[in-house]
């Protein structure tokens, strides 16, 4: 092993393209995000810890608002939600897309206007629907035939509920089988191919308490090309035209869902949001004009693309082990705070922070602390050859589908969330303590 001291890369030679725009190199190999040194966050709040750059979240909301000025932009809360996140999204002029009473109640309790919230989900519980009615959610996306009568029955005698229909347009797109939702043979939505979408529309139109405002689709996640959206849009407009022909009803809304892909590592492809907006708009105009229909109001539901790149996960190294040819670097978190590598084979580019490396980079596998051989956070990544217990590593692009999917596995407790903004750091969500875990366990 070499012990030569490697000079830190010159400023500008390191590729920080997947990091928040506010990221800057600091002395001794450090990095600052939102004006706060990451090593200091790790010191002050402990590890593992999730850092969220408020400015980056807001800037990404603004990018969507600017790209889609005439459309409704709904942030998909399942990517990550907290009261602060609700406030930022609201202040930046976005709506909200939720999939449970939990997300809905949190948002409304944090002051989000319920009429600007859409509730979707393939299996809504009685409590989800009760909560939606009680809070006055804007629209409910119907995902199965049995929901139609259930929702209609839950509405009071004088009430009316706006609904949409989740349609499967028959598009295969997305980064992994488990996140492709645009084709038949997966659990979401009602198929156009077998006519179940059309059948649901007819049944909804026959329910006086339901107001069908439009169609909804969500073809997958981590999609980096514009094309599948355009194909889906044409099919959705085609279905809207057939609904007009069959029922004499012109639906005013078309929700194209989310799934906009982001880069997790330098060089990864990402969806160009501005190009998506421009081409959706022109395709919508062309398709509607060909069908002799007025242009419906477009909605999009980005989740990952709003919050993913704004988050950085910090872990402390607990153990370093050479096994065969592999250098295993074990950290104090893992699959309980980030299940994405185990679920989808997601890849990340972690980096040492807090000190300058003193050895050449070598290939390492960053693993978690959990009792599963599949608890691998990042395989085959470059880390300084002298990484050792006590070092802190940072994983960029950790803002989406990590903490929101966190589990209680091994009872390590879920990490806190710290917002960084304009040189200040503040706790948004505190660490889950052993006391929290014990309190739920009330049996004898
Ligand atoms: C998950 C989901 C989204 C957001 O997906 P991203 O990949 O985070 O953009 C939007 N709409 C629906 C219906 C979803 O299920």
């Amino acid at each position: 092993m070499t012990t030569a001291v490697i000079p830190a890369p010159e400023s500008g030679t390191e590729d920080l393209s997947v990091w928040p725009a506010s990221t800057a190199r600091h002395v001794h190999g450090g990095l600052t995000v939102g004006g706060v040194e990451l090593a200091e966050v790790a010191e002050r709040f402990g590890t593992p810890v999730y850092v969220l750059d408020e400015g980056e979240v807001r800037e990404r909301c603004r990018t969507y608002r600017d790209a889609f000025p005439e459309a409704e932009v709904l942030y998909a809360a399942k990517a990550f939600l907290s009261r602060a996140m609700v406030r930022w999204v609201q202040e930046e002029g976005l709506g909200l897309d939720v999939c449970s009473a939990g997300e809905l109640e949190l948002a409304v309790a944090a002051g989000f206007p319920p009429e600007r919230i859409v509730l979707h989900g393939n299996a809504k519980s009685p409590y989800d629907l009760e909560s939606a009615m009680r809070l006055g959610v804007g629209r409910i996306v119907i995902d199965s035939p049995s929901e139609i009568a259930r929702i209609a029955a839950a509405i009071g005698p004088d009430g009316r509920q706006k609904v949409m229909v989740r349609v499967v347009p028959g598009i295969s797109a997305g980064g992994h089988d488990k996140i492709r939702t645009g084709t038949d043979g997966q659990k979401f939505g009602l198929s156009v191919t077998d006519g179940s979408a059309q059948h649901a529309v007819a049944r909804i139109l026959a329910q006086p308490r339901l107001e069908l405002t439009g169609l909804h689709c969500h073809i997958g996640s981590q999609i980096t090309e514009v094309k599948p959206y355009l194909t889906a849009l044409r099919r959705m407009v085609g279905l809207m035209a057939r609904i007009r022909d069959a029922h004499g009803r012109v639906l005013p809304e078309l929700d194209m869902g989310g799934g906009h892909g982001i880069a997790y590592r330098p060089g990864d492809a990402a969806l160009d949001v501005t190009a998506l907006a421009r081409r959706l708009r022109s395709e919508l105009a062309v398709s509607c004009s060909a069908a002799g229909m007025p242009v419906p109001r477009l909605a999009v539901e980005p989740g990952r693309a709003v919050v993913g790149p704004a988050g950085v996960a910090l872990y402390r190294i607990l153990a370093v082990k050479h096994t065969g040819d592999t250098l295993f670097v074990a950290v104090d978190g893992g699959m309980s705070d980030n299940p994405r590598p185990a679920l989808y084979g997601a890849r990340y580019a972690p980096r040492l922070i807090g000190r300058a490396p003193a050895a050449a980079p070598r290939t390492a596998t960053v693993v978690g602390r959990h009792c599963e051989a599949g608890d691998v956070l990042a395989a085959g990544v470059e880390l300084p050859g002298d990484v050792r217990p006590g070092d802190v590593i940072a994983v960029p692009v950790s803002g989406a589908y990590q903490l929101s999917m966190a589990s209680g596995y091994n009872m390590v407790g879920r990490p806190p969330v710290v917002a960084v903004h304009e040189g200040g750091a503040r706790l948004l969500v505190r660490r889950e303590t052993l006391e929290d875990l014990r309190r739920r366990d009330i049996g004898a």
Side-chain angles (χ1 to χ4, degrees):
M1 224 175 85
T2 171
T3 51
V5 173
I6 306 300
E10 292 302 313
S11 181
T13 58
E14 186 183 356
D15 188 341
L16 294 174
S17 58
V18 301
W19 287 75
S22 71
T23 306
R25 289 164 48 78
H26 199 60
V27 289
H28 307 308
L31 284 183
T32 64
V33 174
V36 180
E37 215 205 329
L38 292 178
E40 270 177 35
V41 176
E43 245 356 281
R44 185 174 150 202
F45 298 94
T47 54
V49 57
Y50 277 73
V51 180
L52 205 51
D53 182 347
E54 175 179 346
E56 182 75 21
V57 172
R58 289 185 181 275
E59 193 49 43
R60 287 178 171 270
C61 292
R62 282 176 211 150
T63 299
Y64 271 97
R65 278 265 49 98
D66 293 347
F68 289 94
E70 76 292 2
E72 196 172 5
V73 181
L74 303 153
Y75 168 65
K78 73 175 191 276
F80 171 76
L81 199 65
S82 73
R83 290 193 300 161
M85 190 70 196
V86 169
R87 182 168 63 82
W88 302 342
V89 163
Q90 185 185 352
E91 286 173 0
E92 298 304 333
L94 272 54
L96 208 57
D97 168 66
V98 301
C99 60
S100 70
E103 291 174 0
L104 176 59
E105 301 257 356
L106 185 145
V108 174
F112 204 90
E115 66 276 8
R116 289 180 48 214
I117 303 180
V118 172
L119 172 72
H120 71 96
N122 74 301
K124 298 173 195 80
S125 73
Y127 183 62
D128 291 335
L129 290 179
E130 186 273 312
S131 164
M133 302 288 165
R134 176 168 37 82
L135 298 174
V137 78
R139 276 147 296 168
I140 298 175
V141 182
I142 290 179
D143 199 297
S144 66
S146 59
E147 265 181 73
I148 300 167
R150 275 176 71 205
I151 296 172
I155 302 169
D158 306 317
R160 219 154 177 249
Q161 176 63 51
K162 289 185 173 155
V163 298
M164 304 183 91
V165 171
R166 168 86 177 248
V167 173
V168 182
I171 308 287
S172 182
H176 189 277
D177 270 349
K178 290 177 186 162
I179 51 175
R180 289 185 190 134
T181 55
T183 50
D184 291 339
Q186 51 79 43
K187 70 175 186 171
F188 293 102
L190 293 154
S191 165
V192 187
T193 323
D194 71 5
S196 46
Q198 294 89 320
H199 189 66
V201 165
R203 285 185 52 198
I204 293 166
L205 292 175
Q207 287 279 0
R209 286 183 193 159
L210 300 182
E211 178 186 344
L212 183 64
T213 66
L215 302 183
H216 177 286
C217 69
H218 172 72
I219 56 176
S221 210
Q222 195 51 4
I223 298 166
T224 54
E225 303 279 328
V226 171
K227 229 173 169 175
Y229 289 102
L230 302 179
T231 312
L233 182 128
R234 279 193 290 274
R235 294 189 188 171
M236 297 295 279
V237 171
L239 179 57
M240 289 175 106
R242 293 204 295 284
I243 291 168
R244 179 217 36 206
D245 296 343
H247 305 283
R249 285 287 289 273
V250 176
L251 302 179
E253 292 180 331
L254 175 58
D255 188 331
M256 293 301 297
H260 311 160
I262 58 173
Y264 281 88
R265 294 177 300 165
D268 281 355
L271 185 70
D272 179 342
V273 173
T274 310
L276 174 74
R278 178 167 33 84
R279 294 180 63 194
L280 277 179
R281 192 178 304 123
S282 66
E283 186 62 50
L284 189 60
V286 169
S287 305
C288 288
S289 135
M293 274 201 323
V295 171
R297 183 166 194 222
L298 195 64
V300 289
E301 305 175 337
R304 186 194 312 275
V306 169
V307 75
V312 179
L314 304 181
Y315 301 99
R316 201 171 288 278
I317 296 175
L318 297 179
V320 173
K321 194 194 294 186
H322 296 260
T323 301
D325 292 336
T326 308
L327 173 64
F328 283 107
V329 174
V331 298
D332 54 1
M335 66 191 299
S336 69
D337 66 85
N338 180 9
R340 296 188 65 256
L343 262 180
Y344 315 130
R347 310 277 308 270
Y348 291 87
R351 179 199 193 272
L352 176 72
I353 58 162
R355 71 170 177 90
R362 56 163 296 174
T363 305
T365 291
V366 179
V367 296
R369 58 164 295 169
H370 295 285
C371 305
E372 289 280 323
D375 180 25
V376 173
L377 278 175
V381 296
E382 295 277 291
L383 282 177
D386 64 335
V387 283
R388 52 186 183 245
D391 279 342
V392 176
I393 62 166
V395 182
V397 204
S398 286
Y401 303 108
Q402 295 189 196
L403 275 190
S404 67
M405 294 179 117
S407 75
Y409 188 43
N410 292 154
M411 290 198 176
V412 300
R414 287 170 290 179
V417 183
V418 171
V420 290
H421 193 49
E422 295 173 347
R426 64 188 199 276
L427 192 60
L428 298 184
V429 182
R430 70 160 170 80
R431 187 181 303 283
E432 189 173 35
T433 63
L434 296 186
E435 188 47 38
D436 292 327
L437 302 176
R438 263 188 230 115
R439 209 173 295 156
R440 296 180 58 235
D441 187 343
I442 55 169

